[in-house]
Amino acid sequence: MVILGAGPAGLVLGNLLHASGVDCVVLERATRVQVQARSRAGFLAANTVRILDRHGLAEGLRRNGREHATCEFRSEDGRFRLDYGSLGRRERHTVYPQHELVTDLLTQYLEAGGRVRFETAAVAVHGADGPRPSVTVREADGRPGRWQARYVAGCDGRHGAARRSLPPGTVRRHQHDHGVSWLGLLAEAPPSLDAVGYAVHSRGFAGHMARTPEVTRYYLQCERDGSPEAWSEDRIWDELALRMRVEDYGPLRRGRIVHRSLVGLESDVIEPLRHGALFLAGDAASLISPSAAKGANLAVLEAEILARALIDDLRHGSAEGLDRYSAQCLAHIWRAQDFSQWMVQLLHGVPGSAGGSVFHDSLRRSRLESLRVSRSCQDWFAENYVGV
Ligand code: RFL
């Protein structure tokens, strides 16, 4: 079994297969240091924690993660809080930075004897619809190589080799551009709120999410083709202060901006998630806008479903799970896409639409008001916000 990519999807899959005695190798383009330094997600759904717990992979997040169950909305109509942990299914998030989760998964996999080939970039998957699939690679020293396997798991993200290797006409690709970009920021500053903060403002959206007691992620809606470097630290903090209405609700704790990136809010689903012996999981299967913090959670869920199906096939001779894999995951993916689209519309006006903006802004305000006053709307929100 060859797994492409050592992100959350590839490493959960690797851990589960290795623990069941399935011979596998993870091929990873980056170095170990780079893999462990990539800071992205932070909000883990209750189901993600249950999956990791079930397989003995949750020790680090149980020790160092923090439970989280409140979000705060700020807008021209005031502010309100939702204690989503007491709504819907009464589930909470665990805040645990993705790079720490990846570090735990990698350490556990390697200590158990699992194999990872770092600095080995998959170039293409060959013969996935035949009896002898293989993966061509470029090794760390630049030399070409080839790995043969019964199955290949493409967990190498949206721009990886797995997607590139799908022959034209074998899958459909559904893409949607939400028309909005965020400047994603990591600040060496303690969180300023004990809640996730969503601020809707005529200048654009601003978001606040705790990562650790010392680090906070912020988002600022920005120009589509803007450059992150055009934002000085002062400009970032002033804009965050304005959109988060600090004059009304209290100051932000400022600190050094240690990472910034431009994030276009896009969705992208491959259907089906299988081509012969090649299976897609995580961002390779579907990209989801970060508006609802679902990507890493879907990656873990899909990896568990795929691991079960592969173990059933390789150890017990039953291909049923593999046959069901795509449809089973796509049901979760579309539900998450639906909620993330709803969140995009909750948090943004329609950028660049002169005549339509009053109409859309009014819809957005009305949606926020429903969330403020309607218990059934709050329950629905909570169930979808924490769930995958
Ligand atoms: P990853 O984590 O991108 O890992 C893919 C791995 O594949 C390697 N690779 C290759 N290896 C070999 N050969 C090749 N040709 C290769 N090409 C690539 C890469 O080096 C990498 O190591 O994919 P995976 O495992 O599918 O996991 C997906 C998640 O990382 C992603 O969905 C989340 O980070 C999305 N996301 C969030 N998700 C959440 O659930 N909660 C959050 O709070 C959250 N916040 C976020 C996010 C994504 C963000 N960005 C990057 C837009 C915040 C941000 C800013």
Side-chain angles (χ1 to χ4, degrees):
M1 174 81 212
V2 170
I3 300 170
L4 309 181
L11 289 172
V12 168
L13 182 60
N15 270 288
L16 270 52
L17 293 180
H18 186 74
S20 293
V22 173
D23 182 26
C24 59
V25 62
V26 178
L27 308 179
E28 167 57 52
R29 183 179 58 183
T31 64
R32 182 172 181 177
V33 171
Q34 287 166 335
V35 165
Q36 294 186 180
R38 230 182 257 134
S39 54
R40 287 177 161 187
F43 274 67
L44 300 180
N47 191 49
T48 305
V49 176
R50 279 195 291 273
I51 292 174
L52 296 169
D53 249 340
R54 203 157 40 231
H55 302 289
L57 299 170
E59 206 185 298
L61 73 89
R62 285 279 181 218
R63 198 175 45 243
N64 298 322
R66 280 157 305 111
E67 289 214 331
H68 194 283
T70 314
C71 50
E72 178 171 309
F73 295 90
R74 299 178 179 183
S75 75
E76 61 272 63
D77 297 316
R79 81 169 158 174
F80 66 93
R81 282 189 163 215
L82 282 186
D83 178 11
Y84 60 81
S86 61
L87 294 161
R89 294 200 181 135
R90 294 176 169 68
E91 290 184 327
R92 296 162 166 259
H93 281 116
T94 299
V95 182
Y96 192 58
Q98 181 170 326
H99 65 276
E100 291 187 26
L101 175 64
V102 163
T103 300
D104 296 348
L105 293 170
L106 192 52
T107 307
Q108 233 166 304
Y109 178 65
L110 292 172
E111 281 177 359
R115 285 185 296 160
V116 183
R117 298 286 295 245
F118 292 103
E119 296 179 80
T120 300
V123 176
V125 181
H126 305 270
D129 49 359
R132 302 280 291 161
S134 65
V135 181
T136 45
V137 299
R138 199 178 54 256
E139 308 272 2
D141 58 9
R143 279 189 306 183
R146 183 181 284 268
W147 291 80
Q148 213 118 35
R150 173 109 174 254
Y151 292 116
V152 178
C155 305
D156 50 350
R158 184 192 190 188
H159 301 293
R163 272 194 176 202
R164 275 201 312 272
S165 304
L166 295 165
T170 52
V171 297
R172 289 179 304 273
R173 185 172 171 182
H174 312 289
Q175 284 178 279
H176 180 70
D177 183 341
H178 298 278
V180 174
S181 292
W182 286 358
L183 186 62
L185 304 157
L186 266 187
E188 246 171 26
S192 300
L193 301 173
D194 57 355
V196 177
Y198 295 110
V200 180
H201 195 279
S202 57
R203 292 175 67 89
F205 163 75
H208 161 287
M209 282 127 218
R211 280 294 184 260
T212 69
E214 300 83 29
V215 175
T216 308
R217 186 174 267 295
Y218 284 97
Y219 292 110
L220 275 174
Q221 186 182 348
C222 64
E223 297 285 315
R224 302 231 61 198
D225 45 5
S227 152
E229 280 65 45
W231 290 76
S232 69
E233 294 215 355
D234 282 345
R235 183 178 170 210
I236 287 169
W237 286 111
D238 290 348
E239 195 65 29
L240 283 168
L242 189 71
R243 296 188 194 180
M244 295 198 68
R245 297 178 160 82
V246 299
E247 287 200 355
D248 297 328
Y249 305 126
L252 300 177
R253 294 152 106 172
R254 297 188 175 204
R256 205 160 62 90
I257 303 292
V258 289
H259 187 261
R260 59 179 77 192
S261 61
L262 191 69
V263 185
L265 270 58
E266 289 175 71
S267 294
D268 185 348
V269 183
I270 297 287
E271 195 164 9
L273 305 178
R274 171 182 191 176
H275 171 61
L278 171 61
F279 293 84
L280 304 181
D283 281 7
S286 89
L287 186 79
I288 187 160
S289 93
S291 58
K294 298 284 183 227
N297 292 294
L298 282 172
V300 171
L301 175 66
E302 290 155 20
E304 192 199 40
I305 295 174
L306 183 54
R308 283 205 171 131
L310 286 166
I311 292 162
D312 275 354
D313 182 82
L314 294 167
R315 310 278 302 170
H316 312 296
S318 164
E320 237 175 79
L322 289 179
D323 293 341
R324 268 202 323 265
Y325 171 72
S326 179
Q328 201 177 344
C329 289
L330 282 166
H332 295 288
I333 287 170
W334 282 117
R335 188 159 171 198
Q337 292 283 2
D338 179 30
F339 182 67
S340 110
Q341 159 104 343
W342 185 89
M343 283 292 282
V344 172
Q345 289 169 354
L346 181 78
L347 301 174
H348 308 85
V350 173
S353 70
S357 68
V358 175
F359 179 79
H360 286 285
D361 269 355
S362 303
L363 289 184
R364 176 183 58 67
R365 285 174 84 163
S366 166
R367 182 172 285 194
L368 206 54
E369 182 62 8
S370 297
L371 195 54
R372 188 178 74 79
V373 299
S374 158
R375 175 63 200 250
S376 56
C377 185
Q378 293 170 356
D379 282 330
W380 177 87
F381 171 83
E383 187 177 329
N384 284 278
Y385 189 57
V386 198
V388 266

